Amino acid sequence: MLTQNLEEPLKEFSFSRQNIQLEIIGLDFMNHKEKLLEIYDQSLNLDDRQPLLPQPYQNYIQQIATNCSKQKVVYTVLITLLVHKILYPNQDIRYHQTNLPGGFSGRTIDTQYITPTLKQLGLPAMAESGWLTRSLEQPFPYTLDYQGKISNQKTKDAFLGLIDFIETNPQQAEVILRLLLHQVNQIIQTQKIKILKIDNPEPFDINTLSSCLENHFSFNYQTRGASKLPVLALYAIYQRLIIEVERYKSCTLKPLGSHTASDLTSGSAGDIEIFDKNKQLVEVIEIKHGKYIDLQILRIAKDKIIKFNPRRYYILSSFDVKPTEVELIMSEIQTIKNNHGCQIITNGIIPTIKYYLRLISSPEEFVNTYSHLIEIDSELQTIHKLKWNEILSNLISPIEQI
């Protein structure tokens, strides 16, 4: 049960080092990005003493921070509201839409300033905005009885409880934001996994390496994120192809986007895009992990082909083509080629990887590239990284059978 009025007195928030700024009345033009960066810098310099907010609110902050990756929507929206409250202390941040009485556009602030800055800082972030999800886009104020369906009840209570507290104690918005960013950063640092580096290519024949990758992709992680693993593997292969294979030597790879972003939001033709020296899109790879290639997937690909005009469009799946739609899919592929000049190639993920591995000269370089992409990817969970380390460790130093 959320409590609106706690009798425990507020105590001073302590820092090991504080920046002293001259405030010139009428000349404060700091925007949301600048304020977030300023407070993030301050959050890195907190001393080891806990800020003495009332304990329930310390617990709320810890709840949001601990779930910053699993509940990025809540965490992103809260940061947006906190920054806005700091800049505009008289604004009731519960009224987060312009169609609410006295409201403002939280989504616009998030899209323009907060989410891009979180990405810049290497912190968990949404693809575009936390307000693009049904849980927090409801046109109702974030009062304690807000009915939006935030999946984790404790996180929902923490989110609404902190907002309610800030409205009663607006001077504490900076305190809460500093502490939240400090704890999020600490959690991220503890979750960083160093992936093993491979120096000896001997273990990596193509069949062994393909089996390792298939194991990594298909392991039952019981959490989201594994669908990005084959995308990273194919991207790592293409990084080798554009160096080693003549056909791709004048080409460039578009940087990987968010795997959680919708096609409409990302504005891309597929998961991986290859451009020629004239910056024309020549090849697209769309990866459907754990799905059959069906007519619906093909029709979505057709819309992208009409819009982006690539020469080749690969649709790769761990389940291949849906057996009951093979003839219809082959007919549609031929029609698209005749009408739009694009060759659609459907295949399995692992067979495609096996084929490409034959084209590159350095399997260990591919492994190290794939490992690096896994290590730096912020959308993967810790378990995905630990699993790859486990696979590499067993491959490099196999346990001797007695």
Side-chain angles (χ1 to χ4, degrees), residues 202-397:
E202 290 183 5
F204 297 112
D205 64 84
I206 290 174
N207 287 333
T208 301
L209 184 49
S210 299
S211 296
C212 290
L213 292 169
E214 187 169 18
N215 184 13
H216 196 215
F217 301 162
S218 61
F219 183 78
N220 183 12
Y221 294 101
Q222 298 183 338
T223 187
R224 292 179 294 178
S227 62
K228 192 170 185 180
L229 296 175
V231 176
L232 296 181
L234 267 298
Y235 195 81
I237 285 176
Y238 270 92
Q239 286 185 314
R240 302 309 309 166
L241 292 178
I242 62 175
I243 295 172
E244 299 184 27
V245 176
E246 187 65 32
R247 177 186 169 197
Y248 294 102
K249 281 190 175 178
S250 61
C251 295
T252 56
L253 278 168
K254 183 179 178 180
L256 281 174
S258 170
H259 198 58
T260 60
S262 67
D263 296 329
L264 181 63
T265 298
S266 66
S268 62
D271 293 313
I272 300 172
E273 297 172 288
I274 300 98
F275 294 83
D276 64 16
K277 61 182 178 182
N278 298 317
K279 298 184 179 180
Q280 298 297 310
L281 182 62
V282 293
E283 203 160 290
V284 176
I285 299 90
E286 180 73 13
I287 299 168
K288 298 299 180 183
H289 181 53
K291 297 179 182 178
Y292 282 108
I293 300 171
D294 59 16
L295 278 172
Q296 178 63 20
I297 288 174
L298 196 64
R299 286 165 183 156
I300 293 171
K302 178 182 176 180
D303 291 340
K304 293 180 184 178
I305 288 166
I306 294 171
K307 180 177 180 180
F308 295 101
N309 195 32
R311 297 177 200 166
R312 288 189 178 184
Y313 199 104
Y314 289 84
I315 306 176
L316 309 179
S317 169
S318 48
F319 290 164
D320 210 353
V321 175
K322 190 173 182 179
T324 58
E325 297 182 358
V326 171
E327 291 185 8
L328 292 172
I329 287 172
M330 293 302 107
S331 176
E332 183 69 10
I333 287 174
Q334 188 60 47
T335 300
I336 292 171
K337 182 179 179 181
N338 294 340
N339 293 342
H340 304 287
C342 178
Q343 182 180 5
I344 296 180
I345 300 165
T346 61
N347 201 7
I349 293 171
I350 295 300
T352 302
I353 287 176
K354 280 187 176 181
Y355 171 76
Y356 280 142
L357 287 174
R358 296 188 185 100
L359 300 180
I360 62 177
S361 62
S362 178
E364 72 274 16
E365 284 297 329
F366 157 72
V367 172
N368 286 331
T369 302
Y370 179 53
S371 296
H372 175 69
L373 292 174
I374 291 170
E375 187 175 297
I376 66 173
D377 194 282
S378 61
E379 292 182 340
L380 295 179
Q381 304 295 323
T382 300
I383 190 172
H384 302 128
K385 305 184 181 188
L386 290 174
K387 183 62 179 178
W388 185 239
N389 260 350
E390 176 190 318
I391 291 169
L392 290 180
S393 179
N394 290 336
L395 187 62
I396 298 167
S397 304

Side-chain angles (χ1 to χ4, degrees), residues 143-185:
T143 52
L144 294 175
D145 59 353
Y146 177 72
Q147 296 301 307
K149 294 183 179 180
I150 299 172
S151 59
N152 186 306
Q153 186 62 45
K154 288 184 178 180
T155 300
K156 180 178 181 179
D157 290 346
F159 173 75
L160 297 176
L162 285 170
I163 293 173
D164 182 75
F165 175 73
I166 292 162
E167 279 306 315
T168 307
N169 303 276
Q171 74 281 2
Q172 297 299 319
E174 280 201 38
V175 172
I176 292 170
L177 183 54
R178 287 191 191 104
L179 181 55
L180 176 61
L181 292 172
H182 178 70
Q183 292 189 5
V184 167
N185 198 51

